[in-house]
Amino acid sequence: MSNKHAYAVAAGHQRTASAAELILQRGGNAFDAILAAMMMSFVAEPLLSSPGGGGFLLAAGPNQPPQLLDFFSDTPSVPAAEIKQRNLDFYPIVGNFGTRSQEFHIGHAAAAVPAVPAGIFKIHQSLCSLPLNEIAQPAIEAAEQGVLINHQQAYVAMILKPIINATAESKALFSGMNTGTVWKNRQLATFLDSLSRSDHDWFYRGAVAQAITSQGDGILSETDFNSYQCKVRIPLKLTLGQHQLYTNPQPSSGGYLIFEQLKRLKSRHDPSAVLEAMQHADDLKRNPMAEVSRGTTHMSVTDTEGNLASLTLSNGEGNGQVAADCGFMLNNFLGEEDINTGGFFNWQKQQRMQSMMSPTLLLHPERQIALGTGGSNRIKTALFQVLNHLINDQKILKHAIEAPRMHYENGHLDLEPGFDPVDSAQLKKQNPIYSEWHNHNLYFGGVNAVQTGNTVAATGDFRRNGCGIVGVRQ
């Protein structure tokens, strides 16, 4: 759409995108809309997104210099040496993620402090124009009335079945997530209604925090909740010709690796050069990098004023524990080996945990794009390839996202179908250890992106049943 007064929304579920559009139609800005989308994702994508997890928002606009709001979790305040592991609720589960099985840990002691509520309050306080209870209303109504479960959400429930069945509360809440069924969550509706009429202390010093910290077989304490704050950071920046890119800075790792791959391309940007750049990024991982997480989703919004919002959320796989009377599962960030690279219960206390999540902005005089993806360690390669198509191949947004992808990690190359046979042969020659996929797969990420400027566009990644909406405010 060429109308400069149009808005665009892209998200991992149609209901998530529609909540943002509704708020835009009611006069909200991109940041009001991204909050509405976030809260709707708790309802429509409840095993990928949760108030019990963490995330990042990259925000920019004509009157808003790019800033990164970091509401990912901190490590606990208790020194690792003081932990008596035999007393903790912390145990392994094996999940089948389609391409492979993986062990991770769940239980009360797998949860880091929930960070999403702090993000909601900070985003609303610093960027929004509408009352929070108005922004939350679409999600509250959806939780009460129910959402129709699609194939994608049923598939996620299937691969996370060992976690869903871990406790009676989790099983009661999530076991009905089958394709074609209507899933309701009245406890979540009540929680969101209370949150939307409250403030930071309501969650971090109130009954929810007290219920979580009272668990004797967990790790989190009142100090963890009382001290937690959303942090505002200066984004990582890279200039390539007329393009300015912004993404998630340290302590997270994904943005740095994406930029290193882009810089490596130099004068070549063909598939062979793309693979060489991926191999370079893999070599940079002399120390294991954080790779959050299977349970991840992304949403992007631009409004009629040219504001851009790019937000990525994760709940890990979830720890199997439902927050009492709140209708959501807590994260299992302390039980993910990818994040805890030094071993479990071996952290430096009260440090912001690392993440591969990389909400990103691509700014050009003619078009401005907000994008991001879920996909664990594939985040860095999925976004790199889409950005390469946009910057160097000059593809339109839809074609950049739908183009076939590859992923390189630890000497192994994965290839989606669709590459030119000559390019495919060269890639296999470059890297003899490879797997050819017979179809496009959520393994390769789910890039949801919007564009404003000379053309307004929105694309939700078909690999994860994404949804893109473009409209004009009535």
Side-chain angles (χ1 to χ4, degrees):
M1 181 179 288
S2 60
N3 189 331
K4 293 183 179 181
H5 300 291
Y7 57 76
V9 180
H13 192 283
Q14 185 272 329
R15 294 293 297 268
T16 305
S18 294
E21 181 180 35
L22 181 60
I23 293 301
L24 289 168
Q25 287 286 1
R26 290 179 178 176
N29 62 27
F31 313 117
D32 296 310
I34 205 81
L35 267 192
M38 183 206 292
M39 288 188 274
M40 181 62 82
S41 73
F42 304 155
V43 185
E45 308 170 61
L47 293 169
L48 302 177
S49 172
S50 163
F56 304 88
L57 169 68
L58 185 52
N63 301 310
Q64 173 57 64
Q67 63 174 330
L68 190 286
L69 280 73
D70 176 345
F71 50 100
F72 201 56
S73 296
D74 289 339
T75 55
S77 57
V78 59
E82 296 180 9
I83 295 173
K84 297 179 180 179
Q85 296 184 33
R86 65 180 180 275
N87 298 330
L88 299 179
D89 179 33
F90 186 84
Y91 57 97
I93 285 286
V94 175
N96 181 1
F97 291 90
T99 56
R100 59 189 173 95
S101 295
Q102 182 173 357
E103 180 181 276
F104 41 84
H105 288 68
I106 64 173
H108 287 140
V113 63
V116 165
I120 291 174
F121 292 124
K122 185 66 174 180
I123 294 166
H124 185 255
Q125 174 190 2
S126 58
L127 296 169
C128 292
S129 64
L130 297 180
L132 186 56
N133 63 320
E134 184 176 344
I135 295 169
Q137 199 58 37
I140 294 169
E141 292 177 1
E144 290 175 340
Q145 298 168 9
V147 296
L148 188 68
I149 299 299
N150 62 27
H151 173 75
Q152 172 73 16
Q153 298 312 107
Y155 175 70
V156 173
M158 180 188 72
I159 61 177
L160 295 182
K161 190 173 181 179
I163 297 175
I164 290 173
N165 292 339
T167 64
E169 294 79 9
S170 177
K171 189 173 182 179
L173 183 59
F174 296 112
S175 61
M177 298 190 69
N178 303 310
T179 304
T181 62
V182 175
W183 184 74
K184 299 180 180 180
N185 191 343
R186 291 189 175 92
Q187 286 187 342
L188 180 61
T190 300
F191 170 81
L192 289 176
D193 183 62
S194 298
L195 178 143
S196 70
R197 301 175 190 277
S198 304
D199 60 14
H200 180 97
D201 285 352
W202 171 81
F203 184 86
Y204 289 93
R205 295 177 181 268
V208 180
Q210 291 169 9
I212 295 172
T213 57
S214 66
Q215 298 159 350
D217 52 2
I219 292 175
L220 299 178
S221 67
E222 287 186 11
T223 300
D224 296 310
F225 280 81
N226 293 348
S227 63
Y228 185 80
Q229 295 290 332
C230 174
K231 297 184 178 181
V232 180
R233 303 188 191 278
I234 298 173
L236 197 63
K237 180 181 178 182
L238 175 65
T239 300
L240 294 173
Q242 288 187 291
H243 294 90
Q244 290 186 332
L245 291 96
Y246 298 87
T247 193
N248 199 1
Q250 292 183 334
S252 290
S253 55
Y256 162 74
L257 292 174
I258 292 166
F259 282 6
E260 286 300 308
Q261 290 171 98
L262 287 168
K263 288 189 287 186
R264 188 76 173 187
L265 288 181
K266 298 181 180 178
S267 61
R268 289 178 52 221
H269 48 88
D270 57 275
S272 180
V274 167
L275 175 55
E276 291 172 7
M278 290 183 184
Q279 292 169 332
H280 168 65
D282 199 57
D283 288 340
L284 293 174
K285 300 195 314 179
R286 295 181 181 89
N287 296 312
M289 306 294 277
E291 299 177 354
V292 175
S293 176
R294 270 66 57 184
T296 310
T297 191
H298 180 85
M299 55 210 72
S300 299
V301 178
T302 183
D303 60 23
T304 58
E305 303 302 317
N307 292 305
L308 290 161
S310 179
L311 188 147
T312 313
L313 288 170
S314 177
N315 200 39
E317 293 81 24
N319 76 337
Q321 306 292 330
V322 176
D325 301 321
C326 294
F328 65 84
M329 189 186 293
L330 296 170
N331 69 79
N332 71 322
F333 295 152
L334 300 182
E336 289 197 301
E337 187 175 356
D338 292 340
I339 311 176
N340 299 273
T341 54
F344 297 126
F345 311 114
N346 195 32
W347 55 73
Q348 292 185 7
K349 67 178 186 177
Q350 291 187 292
Q351 299 293 309
R352 188 58 46 100
M353 301 182 78
Q354 291 187 346
S355 172
M356 190 65 71
M357 290 187 283
S358 305
T360 300
L361 301 179
L362 175 62
L363 307 184
H364 182 274
E366 296 180 357
R367 62 176 178 175
Q368 300 81 49
I369 297 172
L371 70 163
T373 183
S376 187
N377 56 328
R378 279 88 63 198
I379 287 174
K380 65 183 182 295
T381 54
L383 285 178
F384 160 56
Q385 289 170 93
V386 172
L387 290 166
N388 176 47
H389 289 315
L390 290 168
I391 297 169
N392 297 315
D393 298 333
Q394 298 183 342
K395 290 181 181 289
I396 65 170
L397 189 62
K398 176 180 172 64
H399 293 167
I401 290 175
E402 293 183 351
R405 295 177 193 154
M406 67 179 100
H407 175 69
Y408 177 85
E409 196 84 27
N410 298 326
H412 188 275
L413 175 65
D414 288 288
L415 290 168
E416 272 192 316
F419 283 95
D420 180 277
V422 174
D423 291 330
S424 181
Q426 175 60 30
L427 292 170
K428 295 170 189 175
K429 183 178 179 181
Q430 277 180 256
N431 206 89
I433 304 174
Y434 64 88
S435 296
E436 287 188 275
W437 294 63
H438 299 296
N439 49 39
H440 297 84
N441 192 276
L442 58 79
Y443 175 85
F444 293 90
V447 180
N448 300 317
V450 297
Q451 174 180 315
T452 189
N454 291 353
T455 300
V456 179
T459 300
D461 201 324
F462 69 95
R463 295 169 180 82
R464 295 195 174 202
N465 205 44
C467 174
I469 299 173
V470 174
V472 178
R473 182 179 292 177
Q474 302 300 317

